Amino acid sequence: MSTAAFHIASLLEKMTSSDKDFRFMATSDLMSELQKDSIQLDEDSERKVVKMLLRLLEDKNGEVQNLAVKWLGAPLGAFHASLLHCLLPQLSSPRLAVRKRAVVALGHLAAACNTDLFVELADHLLDRLPGPRAPASPAAIRTLIQCLGSVGRQAGHRLGAHVDRLVPLVEEFCHLDDDELRESCLQAFEAFLRKCPKEMGPHVPGVTSLCLEYLKHDPNYNYDSEEEEEQMETEDSECSEPESEAEYSDDDDMSWKVRRAAAKCLAALIGSRPDLLPNFHRTLAPALICRFKEREENVKADIFGAYVVLLRQTRPPKGWLQAVEEPAQTGSNLHMLRAQVPVVVKALQRQLRDRSIRCRQGCFSLLGELAAVLPGSLAEHMPVLVAGTVFSLTDRTSSSTIRMDALAFLQGLLGTEPAEAFHLHLPTLLPPVLACVADSFYKIAAEALLVLQELVRALWPLDRPRTLDPEPYVGEMSTATLARLRATDLDQEVKERAISCMGHLVGHLGDRLGDDLQPTLLLLLDRLRNEITRLPAVKALTLVAMSPLRLDLQPILAEALPILASFLRKNQRALRLATLAALDALAQSHGLSLPPAAVKAVLAELPALVSERDMHVAQLAVDFLATVTQAQPASLAEVSGPVLSELLRLLRSPLLPAGVLAAAEGFLQALVGTRPPCMDYAELIRLLTAPVYEQAADGGPGLHKQVYHSLARCVAALSAACPQEAAGTASRLVCDAKSPRSSPAVKVLAFLSLAEVGQMAGPGPQRELKSVLLEALGSPSEDVRAAASYALGRVGAGNLPDFLPFLLAQIEAEPRRQYLLLHSLREALGAAQPDSLKPYAEDVWALLFQRCEGAEEGTRGVVAECIGKLVLVNPPFLLPRFRKQLAAGRPHTRSTVITAVKFLISDQPHPIDPLLKSFSAVHNKPSLVRDLLGDILPLLYQETKVRRDLIREVEMGPFKHTVDDGLDVRKAAFECMYSLLESCLGQLDICEFLNHVEDGLKDHYDIRMLTFIMLARLATLCPAPVLQRVDRLIEPLRATCTAKVKAGSVKQEFEKQDELKRSAMRAVAALLTIPEVGKSPSMADFSSQIRSNPELTALFESIQKDPASGPSMDSAELS
């Protein structure tokens, strides 16, 4: 006998001990051992373990029984049938405790057993349930309904096929006069709604009416008389004599459990059926609001919770600010919600002053959610809200939790409601907030400082004139914050919040601080020296420096600048970024008064920061340099050389972001724009272009293409800063471009620079430019041809009367250069002003549609982009003509027009948007298609199917190769489905969507890659429908993960298969994050297979460690 088998046998022996502690510990140890991968039981040992656990079900000790029940739910393979047949009779046990434990065990078993056993269990429960009018024991019915609820909670995704038989039976039992049975029925409905919402669709009206009926089921209490209610509350609080035994006791009242179950069921209904939101607002919302007066605290919390779920479902996908982009249905939901606001506030008015802390917490949570969904809707109800908030802030008898909740609610309210709504209530609101700032509990003080900061920012904004006199309030706010700022024995969070709050106070109201201003600034300077508080102090100093109040910072500048300079050497990236922002703000507001010696100390640190190691730091450093150059050009003399050298090296980086390039342009313009200039224009141009001009004709690798664009932008920026030099620069560039001695690299830079500078060059160089650019279109170098084409379009956009007719004539006359000339036309259409293009629209339209039937696909693609840009010039006139072309009989024209639709849709709002409703725009403008999905989706889903008539065999010598001509269309359809998943999830029938994803899991390599990504996303966005069909989804994933490439295949085949396996394993890891997926037999089996296969285990572990797999994968486990 092995050591493991001997250890298991000894534990089984201890489980028969007469000592209950021995039995409990032995059972616990046995289960811990069985969880280890190293323990593998043979069939005989498994049988012994199961028999012993079954025996312990009838143990005299309750704790041992509970442990046995817990572990019987674990997957024990072949013994599931034995367990089921053992547990089912226990549902009829005369002992209540046994029946309850059997119900729990059957729930766990239902999640782990195979499909046949699950069907047997469901059929048994349905057969045992009598008709509501048939004679039966109430206890037996309750047990069966509770068992249904337990199975629904643990394995509800498997109940979908049985719902139509179950629900009518359970509905009938709800009408029996048995509150415990009603509670069990409603809990079962809640589980069904959460786990199989699609199958519950036909039964939603019946369940809704039951929930509404039992939400107000309180036969022992009269809510109609407010006076009686108040009287009862008074008696409850003042009466000290116990009630007589003959009187009714709330201990006998079970109706509150029914009401709570109804509220939870409604929350499940609202959460699982977002498509019924308008109906919910009409029917459920008034009923929930009416029940805010509920007397039982637990029930009231669940009613609040159900209404909060309704609010969250109503929130537009991208927030209220984009509500105009949302479909009409969302707008109507928000409109109905806005009508409910007065009723909600009125219903909560008394609750906000309730003695129950939990009740008030529920009120704050609900109102906070309401304010987030409908910003500005609570402004007219501010007296009620302020009174309720102040009541909780001043309630010293209760715990600190409610005060923190009240402060958090107030902070949210300040961010969503207009400042004017708070003006009248500030005398009432400010004292309790300041009292909380001085509170001894650090969490309350930190939260209160955050509220005070938001109060200052909201009521006295810097971008608008003051409408409220701060004089009565600024003194006490300053005193309270200074007291916290001066204290050194505080929690770190309070210190940071106090510094931030003081920064806002000085930045917004510094002109009213009077004698307190200088001590405050010195305190900030002191905190700047402290390593623990230096980062918040730097941010506070930035706020003060950026303030339009132009406060006098002379007392601290001389000492602060060297400290800030030292921070630029620190390794802490956040500190470097904050310091550069602070220095830039100081240079903008106090540039002339900054001490030159201190500025030089700062500038000495900057060359090291202008590096591609950290582009964000480099951008801020260059921005600061530009600001200092304009404010104190003399200070730059000593460091301009090293800084410029680093900047020029940075400009040669192919990874240069647009923000860094814009900052570099600003700095270079500042260098030549000061009087006198810090640097000579010609010298700076020479330094910029030197890397290209000095590049040897064949000397090693050249510069990246992006570098030429960056350098050209900088040349153009310098020309814009010195307009008097623009014509001369353009002439030199034209000479370089046409010189036969110039290398291709020099010509590329010259043309790209002319594209930017040419519009400012004047008529002389422009006339010569035409011939030079046309000649360059025939250059042997592809890069030169592309640069010349780009330049021709950009220069033409600035001089349309001269260039556009010339360009159109060239397109007609030069068919061989048509592709390049169309690129020029595209640039001209994109860069020119729409009004200036209107006179030429007809000519351009005719020319483009003549070329829609061209043989080259690349040319048709450029034509499509030109058509899209042209339609944007005059949408009301050109769009109807554009639509007519879709009905044209020629296929290439229709294809080109459809491609052009892509270029009609931009990221930003555009006047053409309302006219585009009939075109698809899922990715950029989902609002254009959401209302049309009912017509679009069936057509889209049809394109995901494999069409056999498009599959053909091609003979390649002795081999036959299968070609699928429909693959590209299917791939595009699945890409569109993924875009819908990201932007229109609420309008999709996920079950129907999953049907097509499931088909895609067995399709071609490209489509499988897409569907694996979609499946991982679906597992996060809507886990319940995925869980319902996880057994079917696992098989194609398993097939992919275990597939082998044929021996002798090329290297690419192995790489493709590895990537496919990796993508499939990502989907598996995403599925494992669904809480109950581990109970699925198929998933449990596949997880076991992964654990037993070293290759799959290594792949799974690498997926979990890969940050690209997303944060949600961290919780995926195979156990």
Side-chain angles (χ1 to χ4, degrees):
M1 183 183 289
S2 68
T3 307
F6 179 77
H7 185 46
I8 297 293
S10 67
L11 288 174
L12 288 172
E13 185 180 346
K14 288 179 183 176
M15 287 163 74
T16 61
S17 169
S18 57
D19 189 328
K20 67 178 189 309
D21 292 333
F22 267 61
R23 296 197 301 277
F24 182 87
M25 292 305 299
T27 307
S28 179
D29 291 346
L30 175 65
M31 292 305 114
S32 299
E33 288 295 319
L34 292 179
Q35 293 297 300
K36 296 177 181 175
D37 293 340
S38 56
I39 301 292
Q40 298 291 335
L41 293 182
D42 55 31
E43 191 174 334
D44 184 53
S45 299
E46 269 196 10
R47 187 179 293 107
K48 287 179 182 177
V49 169
V50 174
K51 283 183 178 177
M52 184 58 68
L53 286 172
L54 292 173
R55 180 177 168 183
L56 292 178
L57 277 180
E58 299 185 2
D59 195 277
K60 294 177 182 177
N61 182 268
E63 291 182 347
V64 176
Q65 276 187 339
N66 289 337
L67 199 60
V69 167
K70 177 181 175 183
W71 290 111
L72 275 172
L76 294 174
F79 295 96
H80 283 169
S82 305
L83 288 169
L84 181 65
H85 299 142
C86 170
L87 288 169
L88 287 176
Q90 302 300 327
L91 293 176
S92 308
S93 169
R95 292 177 58 192
L96 176 62
V98 172
R99 294 200 303 274
K100 283 185 174 180
R101 286 168 184 148
V103 164
V104 174
L106 281 168
H108 286 286
L109 181 61
C113 67
N114 61 38
T115 305
D116 293 338
L117 285 178
F118 184 83
V119 171
E120 182 183 341
L121 169 60
D123 288 343
H124 175 88
L125 294 175
L126 281 163
D127 294 341
R128 289 285 307 280
L129 274 174
R133 292 169 188 80
S137 158
I141 296 173
R142 278 199 297 269
T143 302
L144 290 168
I145 297 291
Q146 285 166 358
C147 191
L148 276 175
S150 178
V151 170
R153 282 186 292 279
Q154 299 294 335
H157 56 282
R158 307 179 74 180
L159 269 177
H162 308 276
V163 159
D164 288 335
R165 292 166 62 201
L166 279 171
V167 174
L169 275 173
V170 180
E171 279 184 359
E172 290 292 337
F173 285 118
C174 270
H175 296 298
L176 297 181
D177 190 13
D178 182 339
D179 281 347
E180 192 175 345
L181 179 60
R182 285 171 178 153
E183 180 196 12
S184 300
C185 291
L186 291 167
Q187 286 173 341
F189 285 142
E190 180 194 352
F192 300 160
L193 285 165
R194 289 191 190 280
K195 302 294 185 177
C196 35
K198 184 175 176 62
E199 291 81 356
M200 281 293 289
H203 308 286
V204 163
V207 174
T208 304
S209 62
L210 281 172
C211 289
L212 291 175
E213 178 184 348
Y214 290 114
L215 187 67
K216 56 190 178 198
H217 173 66
D218 197 354
N220 304 309
Y221 197 76
N222 180 14
Y223 287 94
D224 295 332
S225 171
E226 287 295 326
E227 294 157 357
E228 185 181 339
E229 186 175 345
E230 288 175 12
Q231 184 182 350
M232 288 177 70
E233 285 186 3
T234 308
E235 288 173 0
D236 192 32
S237 62
E238 295 177 359
C239 181
S240 58
E241 295 180 9
E243 296 176 348
S244 67
E245 292 181 7
E247 289 180 337
Y248 174 80
S249 168
D250 269 353
D251 294 340
D252 304 325
D253 181 16
M254 294 288 291
S255 64
W256 69 272
K257 291 187 177 181
V258 179
R259 299 196 299 279
R260 184 175 66 172
K264 287 185 173 180
C265 191
L266 284 177
L269 175 61
I270 296 165
S272 62
R273 295 302 301 269
D275 52 312
L276 298 178
L277 267 181
N279 187 36
F280 292 158
H281 276 289
R282 282 190 293 270
T283 56
L284 302 189
L288 288 169
I289 295 168
C290 184
R291 291 304 304 169
F292 286 174
K293 62 188 177 185
E294 168 65 48
R295 65 191 175 95
E296 181 64 41
E297 190 177 276
N298 292 323
V299 183
K300 189 184 289 185
D302 285 315
I303 291 170
F304 285 162
Y307 194 77
V308 166
V309 172
L310 182 63
L311 291 174
R312 287 176 181 161
Q313 292 287 71
T314 309
R315 187 197 292 260
K318 296 179 183 176
W320 172 245
L321 293 178
Q322 282 79 27
V324 291
E325 288 280 317
E326 300 309 320
Q329 180 179 318
T330 304
S332 67
N333 290 337
L334 292 168
H335 184 70
M336 285 189 280
L337 181 59
R338 192 175 287 280
Q340 295 167 23
V341 171
V343 191
V344 170
V345 174
K346 185 178 179 183
L348 294 178
Q349 184 169 356
R350 289 186 58 215
Q351 314 289 347
L352 282 167
R353 304 174 72 90
D354 197 280
R355 286 167 303 169
S356 164
I357 291 176
R358 190 176 177 191
C359 171
R360 281 183 274 155
Q361 284 176 318
C363 292
F364 287 136
S365 172
L366 190 153
L367 288 167
E369 197 69 41
L370 182 59
V373 176
L374 279 179
S377 60
L378 297 177
E380 60 190 89
H381 308 287
M382 203 55 71
V384 173
L385 302 180
V386 168
T389 307
V390 169
F391 178 80
S392 289
L393 289 178
T394 54
D395 183 10
R396 300 282 174 176
T397 59
S398 54
S399 70
S400 56
T401 311
I402 187 62
R403 292 160 69 203
M404 289 171 61
D405 287 338
L407 287 166
F409 167 68
L410 183 55
Q411 186 201 343
L413 209 59
L414 284 162
T416 59
E417 307 309 306
E420 293 73 20
F422 294 92
H423 287 179
L424 286 175
H425 308 285
L426 196 55
T428 311
L429 201 53
L430 191 58
V433 171
L434 295 178
C436 290
V437 168
D439 198 274
S440 57
F441 185 39
Y442 76 95
K443 286 192 175 180
I444 290 180
E447 198 70 41
L449 283 163
L450 207 55
V451 171
L452 189 58
Q453 173 181 312
E454 189 67 23
L455 202 66
V456 171
R457 191 194 62 75
L459 297 190
W460 296 284
L462 295 172
D463 56 348
R464 296 194 301 273
R466 289 175 185 165
T467 54
L468 177 69
D469 182 17
E471 199 61 43
Y473 314 106
V474 69
E476 49 186 340
M477 290 192 294
S478 171
T479 303
T481 312
L482 274 174
R484 283 298 184 181
L485 195 59
R486 287 194 177 103
T488 53
D489 56 342
L490 293 177
D491 182 84
Q492 175 69 11
E493 187 179 7
V494 179
K495 289 179 184 176
E496 292 181 1
R497 294 271 172 85
I499 293 168
S500 177
C501 183
M502 186 50 82
H504 279 80
L505 200 58
V506 175
H508 288 252
L509 299 173
D511 57 334
R512 299 298 185 94
L513 286 176
D515 294 339
D516 284 341
L517 178 60
Q518 188 164 343
T520 303
L521 293 175
L522 293 173
L523 264 175
L524 278 178
L525 182 64
D526 188 56
R527 296 295 174 265
L528 204 60
R529 296 190 182 100
N530 189 318
E531 186 176 350
I532 295 173
T533 57
R534 64 191 181 189
L535 182 56
V538 169
K539 292 178 179 177
L541 186 60
T542 308
L543 287 171
V544 175
M546 290 170 64
S547 171
L549 301 177
R550 292 289 182 259
L551 302 170
D552 181 16
L553 300 184
Q554 284 302 321
I556 63 168
L557 282 179
E559 292 182 66
L561 284 176
I563 298 172
L564 292 172
S566 70
F567 291 166
L568 296 176
R569 295 192 295 271
K570 305 295 182 188
N571 283 331
Q572 190 181 353
R573 182 173 184 269
L575 182 63
R576 287 206 305 274
L577 291 171
T579 301
L580 285 167
L583 288 167
D584 192 49
L586 287 169
Q588 287 182 29
S589 59
H590 296 76
L592 295 173
S593 57
L594 294 178
V599 171
K600 288 178 182 177
V602 173
L603 292 174
E605 306 292 340
L606 289 182
L609 301 180
V610 183
S611 157
E612 66 177 342
R613 286 194 303 272
D614 191 328
M615 289 293 191
H616 192 187
V617 169
Q619 179 180 339
L620 293 180
V622 176
D623 278 333
F624 171 61
L625 281 166
T627 308
V628 171
T629 304
Q630 292 167 340
Q632 290 195 13
S635 300
L636 206 69
E638 293 178 19
V639 293
S640 60
V643 164
L644 201 56
S645 172
E646 292 297 332
L647 181 62
L648 294 173
R649 187 178 290 113
L650 187 65
L651 288 172
R652 293 199 289 273
S653 168
L655 305 174
L656 194 71
V660 180
L661 180 57
E665 290 173 27
F667 174 53
L668 294 172
Q669 286 181 323
L671 283 176
V672 296
T674 55
R675 293 291 174 266
C678 293
M679 198 158 188
D680 180 60
Y681 172 88
E683 176 64 14
L684 203 47
I685 289 281
R686 187 191 67 76
L687 288 172
L688 268 175
T689 55
V692 177
Y693 282 82
E694 293 170 6
Q695 191 176 319
D698 56 350
L703 297 171
H704 191 275
K705 286 182 182 179
Q706 184 58 41
V707 177
Y708 293 102
H709 285 275
S710 301
L711 295 176
R713 285 269 304 273
C714 291
V715 170
L718 287 173
S719 298
C722 300
Q724 69 279 8
E725 302 281 354
T729 302
S731 298
R732 285 194 295 275
L733 289 170
V734 170
C735 291
D736 289 337
K738 69 181 183 181
S739 169
R741 294 192 300 276
S742 296
S743 67
V746 170
K747 290 185 178 181
V748 168
L749 179 62
F751 284 132
L752 292 177
S753 301
L754 284 166
E756 307 292 340
V757 179
Q759 297 178 29
M760 302 178 286
Q766 282 187 359
R767 277 193 297 274
E768 189 180 4
L769 195 52
K770 279 184 191 174
S771 58
V772 173
L773 289 170
L774 276 182
E775 184 183 342
L777 292 178
S779 168
S781 167
E782 184 181 344
D783 291 339
V784 172
R785 293 199 302 271
S789 169
Y790 175 76
L792 182 58
R794 297 287 294 185
V795 174
N799 189 5
L800 286 177
D802 188 22
F803 269 80
L804 195 56
F806 166 74
L807 185 56
L808 296 178
Q810 287 295 320
I811 293 174
E812 293 281 7
E814 297 276 356
R816 292 178 59 191
R817 296 180 179 178
Q818 184 173 256
Y819 181 73
L820 291 168
L821 291 165
L822 284 169
H823 269 287
S824 300
L825 180 60
R826 181 195 65 184
E827 291 300 329
L829 292 173
Q833 292 298 319
D835 288 341
S836 63
L837 281 167
K838 284 182 181 178
Y840 310 98
E842 284 296 334
D843 294 339
V844 177
W845 180 273
L847 181 139
L848 291 173
F849 274 97
Q850 287 169 12
R851 278 150 185 78
C852 283
E853 287 294 315
E856 292 183 15
E857 187 178 350
T859 302
R860 294 200 305 273
V862 183
V863 168
E865 193 169 349
C866 290
I867 291 172
K869 290 180 182 296
L870 183 61
V871 172
L872 292 175
V873 170
N874 191 359
F877 177 65
L878 293 176
L879 197 61
R881 295 172 62 182
F882 179 83
R883 189 180 280 110
K884 283 179 185 174
Q885 292 293 337
L886 282 172
R890 293 174 297 177
H892 280 331
T893 299
R894 293 204 307 273
S895 169
T896 306
V897 170
I898 290 170
T899 306
V901 173
K902 286 194 304 185
F903 305 104
L904 294 178
I905 301 159
S906 61
D907 290 331
Q908 302 301 320
H910 194 280
I912 198 174
D913 290 349
L915 306 174
L916 285 177
K917 284 283 185 180
S918 58
F919 298 98
S920 177
V922 173
H923 188 70
N924 291 62
K925 294 277 178 67
S927 61
L928 299 182
V929 295
R930 282 199 183 106
D931 295 338
L932 308 172
L933 285 180
D935 300 325
I936 294 171
L937 284 175
L939 301 172
L940 176 66
Y941 290 151
Q942 190 62 36
E943 295 300 333
T944 64
K945 300 186 183 304
V946 178
R947 288 180 55 182
R948 298 292 169 195
D949 57 314
L950 293 177
I951 297 176
R952 55 193 171 88
E953 280 192 346
V954 179
E955 291 189 3
M956 302 176 70
F959 304 105
K960 288 186 177 179
H961 181 61
T962 303
V963 176
D964 185 353
D965 292 326
L967 177 61
D968 288 340
V969 176
R970 284 206 311 285
K971 187 178 175 185
F974 277 104
E975 287 172 350
C976 188
M977 283 174 64
Y978 184 75
S979 294
L980 284 169
L981 191 61
E982 291 295 314
S983 56
C984 303
L985 182 65
Q987 283 71 40
L988 298 178
D989 179 345
I990 292 298
C991 295
E992 177 68 15
F993 190 92
L994 271 166
N995 288 337
H996 300 282
V997 171
E998 198 177 323
D999 293 340
L1001 293 173
K1002 305 162 194 166
D1003 207 322
H1004 184 268
Y1005 165 82
D1006 290 336
I1007 290 171
R1008 275 192 285 168
M1009 290 289 286
L1010 270 171
T1011 48
F1012 290 151
I1013 296 169
M1014 274 197 270
L1015 186 56
R1017 194 80 184 108
L1018 282 162
T1020 305
L1021 294 174
C1022 38
V1026 174
L1027 188 61
Q1028 276 185 276
R1029 60 179 74 207
V1030 73
D1031 291 340
R1032 302 210 303 266
L1033 296 169
I1034 284 297
E1035 289 314 311
L1037 291 171
R1038 187 204 303 264
T1040 301
C1041 289
T1042 55
K1044 301 288 183 186
V1045 182
K1046 291 179 184 177
S1049 297
V1050 295
K1051 180 184 175 185
Q1052 286 85 347
E1053 283 297 317
F1054 284 97
E1055 289 174 352
K1056 277 175 69 175
Q1057 188 60 37
D1058 287 345
E1059 190 53 45
L1060 203 57
K1061 280 184 180 179
R1062 192 166 185 82
S1063 188
M1065 196 60 84
R1066 280 198 189 97
V1068 173
L1071 289 175
L1072 283 167
T1073 60
I1074 301 175
E1076 297 166 13
V1077 79
K1079 297 172 184 174
S1080 158
S1082 300
M1083 180 57 91
D1085 183 45
F1086 187 34
S1087 298
S1088 175
Q1089 186 177 351
I1090 293 173
R1091 285 199 304 271
S1092 60
N1093 184 319
E1095 182 187 346
L1096 293 180
T1097 303
L1099 179 59
F1100 183 81
E1101 288 174 354
S1102 71
I1103 291 294
Q1104 282 192 302
K1105 293 172 185 173
D1106 183 5
S1109 300
S1112 60
M1113 303 301 171
D1114 297 344
S1115 57
E1117 294 180 2
L1118 289 172
S1119 55

